[in-house]
Amino acid sequence: MGSTISAVLLLLTFVGFIYYIVKGGNLMIGFFIMAILWAVIGQVPASQVIQKVFADPALNYGPTIIYIIFGSWFGRVLVDSGIAPAISEATNKVGKKQPVLAVMLVIIVTAFIFVSAYGVGSVIAIGVILLPIMLSVGLPRDIALSAFSMAIGAPMYLNVVLYNQIKAFFPRAEYGGKYLVFGVCATLVQLVAVMGFVFWHRKRIDASKANENLKIIGAETQAVADVKVPKLAFIVPIVPVMMNMLFKWDAIPALTLATLLAMGLTGKFKGYQKFVDFLNSTIKQAISDIAGLIMFLMALIMFSGAASMDAVRFRPLFEAVLPHNMLILALAFGVLAPLAMFRGPFHVWGAGAATAAVLSGLGLFSDGFLLPLLYVPTLMAVSTDITQSWNVWGLNYMKVSTKAFLKHGVPVMWVVSIINEVLVYLFFG
């Protein structure tokens, strides 16, 4: 009885948090308060709150922060060296005739890259080049960011790095055979939806506002005419991804190599003092760009720590309401997929850890069915939730409001989730 009451109270605070966010509340403050509330309501012992909610999550997140720093530095070098503006200008010349086609190609390229690439560092490295390209053809910032984020989420069904993370909940599931066929189908469903989203908003494309939007995000730091950028430098943005794909390099050395290549190919090594000045200015600006993001992520990871400790509180609630019919269960997860938002009860890396534990513990369904069942709503959150680290970076980089981001992404991903849950039943039911 006590666990049920706690679960209801946790859900009520969760609803209040969503209302707070929709009204434009500060995310960092909101997540910090939620971490405290969930620790108190979940009756977590004080010693565990100090260590498991506030200390360990923040300390363990250190490596991710390092990836963010190096990714931000790489992005700043791409901009200040003139490479990003040069590529944007080249694409703009093509996109002026066929802007919708240009955006569609960017979406396809994004999805292709993130079949294998993963992590906020990779997203930043790719985002600082592809997002300005979409803006350069006249696409509004809010539409461009939503399309980019959903294009990243689409191939995550096939991304082996993320798959192995969720497999921890369902160890008997296998990456291969029937799952890969499902993964390709689910990816294509989401990609088609993203392209449909762009096509629906095609009348908002306005080339006359391209320079204004690029200026807002700081992508016009140097005009192309001011810096002679060799065409060879155009491959620099994909160097980190290629080093990972071909040689299994970690993101840190891959980003460092790409950053040095960017400097070398644009003449920043010509003169010691010139190199030092450029190095210092880009590092200083890169850290400044992500200072607020880092503190937000600290608050977010503290809330995630509290949510994982409260997972057991949701067990009796889910045992009472979950249907045993696989078709009904799949449709229910599709219709209720937005519950994955804000690290909710359908997000396996949030409060949804409870859902995964309950479904796995009941023994009514195979791991092969349960993994994609929960993966679908989780990827809805990955694609359009403001608690996803790279989406937070995107909001900050593109200067887009959380309200606009959610308004564009949630309806599209909701439809995608329902369709993909039907596919889950057809493949694994």
Side-chain angles (χ1 to χ4, degrees), residues 55-74:
D56 288 349
L59 292 172
N60 293 337
Y61 206 69
T64 301
I65 297 299
I66 299 302
Y67 286 128
I68 293 173
I69 290 172
F70 273 82
S72 180
W73 182 38
F74 176 53

Side-chain angles (χ1 to χ4, degrees), residues 224-381:
V224 180
D226 295 336
V227 179
K228 188 173 179 59
V229 178
K231 292 294 188 290
L232 182 60
F234 284 20
I235 68 170
V236 170
I238 65 169
V239 167
V241 177
M242 296 305 298
M243 297 307 293
N244 176 266
M245 291 175 63
L246 298 178
F247 304 108
K248 307 302 179 184
W249 280 27
D250 184 81
I252 300 300
L255 287 166
T256 302
L257 173 64
T259 301
L260 294 175
L261 280 175
M263 293 181 187
L265 290 172
T266 55
K268 302 305 178 185
F269 290 144
K270 294 179 179 178
Y272 177 75
Q273 192 58 48
K274 177 182 178 181
F275 164 67
V276 170
D277 290 343
F278 183 79
L279 183 71
N280 288 337
S281 67
T282 53
I283 290 175
K284 181 179 179 180
Q285 186 59 48
I287 300 297
S288 176
D289 289 342
I290 59 172
L293 169 64
I294 290 174
M295 292 310 297
F296 162 79
L297 290 174
M298 289 295 97
L300 168 60
I301 202 66
M302 290 171 186
F303 169 67
S304 294
S308 61
M309 297 193 73
D310 286 337
V312 67
R313 302 292 178 183
F314 292 100
R315 184 182 296 272
L317 181 63
F318 284 121
E319 287 179 338
V321 301
L322 284 174
H324 292 179
N325 181 281
M326 297 174 82
L327 175 59
I328 295 175
L329 186 61
L331 290 174
F333 268 70
V335 173
L336 299 175
L339 289 177
M341 303 293 288
F342 305 99
R343 305 281 167 170
F346 278 11
H347 194 314
V348 295
W349 294 294
T355 312
V358 170
L359 288 174
S360 180
L362 290 175
L364 297 174
F365 311 104
S366 68
D367 282 6
F369 171 71
L370 291 176
L371 186 147
L373 182 79
L374 277 155
Y375 211 8
V376 170
T378 295
L379 290 185
M380 173 181 178

Side-chain angles (χ1 to χ4, degrees), residues 139-185:
L139 196 67
R141 298 192 316 281
D142 54 345
I143 302 299
L145 178 60
S146 290
F148 179 69
S149 296
M150 290 188 286
I152 292 172
M156 289 300 161
Y157 287 100
L158 300 169
N159 188 293
V160 69
V161 176
L162 195 61
Y163 180 91
N164 283 326
Q165 291 182 37
I166 192 172
K167 187 179 177 180
F169 295 96
F170 309 105
R172 290 182 293 276
E174 293 185 6
Y175 182 84
K178 187 185 294 185
Y179 176 80
L180 285 180
V181 179
F182 160 77
V184 170
C185 293

Side-chain angles (χ1 to χ4, degrees), residues 9 12 19 49 95 102 112 118 135 173 193 218 232 273 283 298 333 386:
L9 290 174
L12 287 175
Y19 178 80
V49 171
F112 174 75
Y118 178 76
L135 296 186
L232 182 60
Q273 192 58 48
I283 290 175
M298 289 295 97
F333 268 70
I386 56 176

